[in-house]
Amino acid sequence: MAAGSHAPTASEYIVHHLAHLNSSGAQQKNIVDFSIVNWDTVFYSVLTAALTAWLMYRAARMIHAGVPNRFVGAIESLVEFVHEQARSIVKGDLSYIAPLALATFIWIFLMNAIDLIPVDLFPRIGQLFGLHYMRAVPTADLNGTLSLSIVVLFASIYYGIKIKGGGGFVHELFTAPFGAQWFLAPFNLLLQIIEYAAKTVSLGMRLFGNMFAGELVFLLIALLGGTAMWWGIGLHFLTGLGWAIFHILIITLQAFIFMMLTLVYIGQAHEHH
């Protein structure tokens, strides 16, 4: 925290750790505000994206005839698994969709995995450079997860136009799901808009909610370590270890769910009504 004359209370500690390093220069008041850039979310998103690209590049360079090593074998198994999921959901060309799903899974998994790093590490490093606010988990920021879901929205619209043509896509907006009668067109369009909006918001909110809750639990566990009593330190270690082990399942499951819903929404764009 910023320099002060007293140690922070539990509420001050949590509020401080939930504040972003943003473009306004002040603590963000709203949970989502697209007028403010959260620089920590942008930085760690780009960092994990670069790490994702490097891992895929390294695996591709290491592929050769013969028995693959464990790293290449793990990547190949993941690629085959994602491709099989994409083929079972999307009825069309997978040359771009399967790589998109693979990159989505790995990228979101790496962003989620930052939550396993001790909550005070990055803020303390940031303080060395004069940065008093630092949140390192991009998927615990609703601005970040809604941005991801908006990209999925644009991808589903793109494939809808690509598969059905511009005229076919617009025609479906006004004729599905109630029918092609002219007096039903406004209701069809309204329902389509609501459906696209609901998919986008729920996709971003689901990932954010789970990761924000996990981050908050780690902060509460960290408070146990702030006590000077032996039982506080012991509970801090045991609960932190137990929650971290369980959280590995959560971060993997959330990346998988986001990937699968991305495939489902793109698969729906391939369907004709």
Side-chain angles (χ1 to χ4, degrees), residues 13-20 31 40-41 44 111-112 114-120 122-123 134-142 207-223 243 247 250-251:
Y13 175 83
I14 293 177
V15 169
H16 176 267
H17 276 70
L18 293 180
H20 286 279
I31 197 171
D40 43 14
T41 297
Y44 289 106
M111 288 192 288
N112 292 349
I114 297 177
D115 213 9
L116 299 175
I117 298 174
V119 294
D120 287 310
F122 288 122
M134 179 68 69
R135 287 186 69 184
V137 185
T139 47
D141 178 10
L142 187 55
L207 178 59
F208 160 75
N210 283 276
M211 297 312 301
F212 181 83
E215 184 180 36
L216 191 58
V217 171
F218 276 120
L219 290 174
L220 294 174
I221 292 173
L223 288 173
W243 180 246
H247 205 56
I250 295 177
I251 65 177

Side-chain angles (χ1 to χ4, degrees), residues 20 41 52 98 104 201 259:
H20 286 279
T41 297
T52 300
T104 298
V201 173
M259 179 199 74

Side-chain angles (χ1 to χ4, degrees), residues 5 10 12 18 23 26-27 40 43 53 55-56 70 75 77 79 97 143 152 155 159-160 162 166 173 176 183 225 270:
S5 58
E12 289 174 339
L18 293 180
S23 58
Q27 185 173 330
D40 43 14
F43 175 79
L55 288 173
M56 295 297 96
R70 293 182 179 179
I75 296 297
S77 298
V79 170
I97 297 174
N143 295 274
V152 176
Y159 278 103
K162 180 180 179 181
L173 289 178
F183 57 88
H270 284 68

Side-chain angles (χ1 to χ4, degrees), residues 25-244:
Q27 185 173 330
Q28 186 174 342
K29 301 299 182 182
N30 302 318
I31 197 171
V32 58
D33 187 348
F34 288 117
S35 67
I36 296 176
V37 178
N38 292 333
W39 294 118
D40 43 14
T41 297
V42 174
F43 175 79
Y44 289 106
S45 296
V46 173
L47 180 65
T48 50
L51 180 58
T52 300
W54 179 78
L55 288 173
M56 295 297 96
Y57 174 78
R58 183 168 179 263
R61 295 279 296 183
M62 294 176 65
I63 293 178
H64 54 78
V67 179
N69 59 30
R70 293 182 179 179
F71 171 72
V72 175
I75 296 297
E76 287 182 345
S77 298
L78 182 59
V79 170
E80 293 176 1
F81 171 76
V82 172
H83 189 273
E84 189 63 31
Q85 297 300 316
R87 187 173 61 180
S88 65
I89 296 174
V90 181
K91 308 304 179 184
D93 183 17
L94 301 178
S95 56
Y96 293 102
I97 297 174
L100 172 65
L102 177 65
T104 298
F105 176 79
I106 297 177
W107 187 24
I108 292 179
F109 174 82
L110 291 177
M111 288 192 288
N112 292 349
I114 297 177
D115 213 9
L116 299 175
I117 298 174
V119 294
D120 287 310
L121 178 60
F122 288 122
R124 291 290 176 86
I125 294 175
Q127 287 180 1
L128 297 177
F129 296 92
L131 304 176
H132 298 297
Y133 297 104
M134 179 68 69
R135 287 186 69 184
V137 185
T139 47
D141 178 10
L142 187 55
N143 295 274
T145 58
L146 283 181
S147 299
L148 292 172
S149 62
I150 289 172
V151 172
V152 176
L153 169 66
F154 286 145
S156 63
I157 293 175
Y158 166 77
Y159 278 103
I161 296 174
K162 180 180 179 181
I163 298 301
K164 303 162 189 174
F169 179 77
V170 173
H171 178 266
E172 185 174 281
L173 289 178
F174 289 94
T175 59
F178 297 127
Q181 292 81 0
W182 66 269
F183 57 88
L184 293 176
F187 301 101
N188 289 324
L189 179 61
L190 178 61
L191 193 62
Q192 290 278 0
I193 293 174
I194 293 175
E195 181 180 354
Y196 277 114
K199 288 178 180 178
T200 303
V201 173
S202 63
L203 186 62
M205 287 290 292
R206 180 183 293 104
L207 178 59
F208 160 75
N210 283 276
M211 297 312 301
F212 181 83
E215 184 180 36
L216 191 58
V217 171
F218 276 120
L219 290 174
L220 294 174
I221 292 173
L223 288 173
L224 290 173
T227 65
M229 303 181 68
W230 65 269
W231 59 266
I233 298 175
L235 282 176
H236 168 74
F237 175 77
L238 293 176
T239 55
L241 178 61
W243 180 246

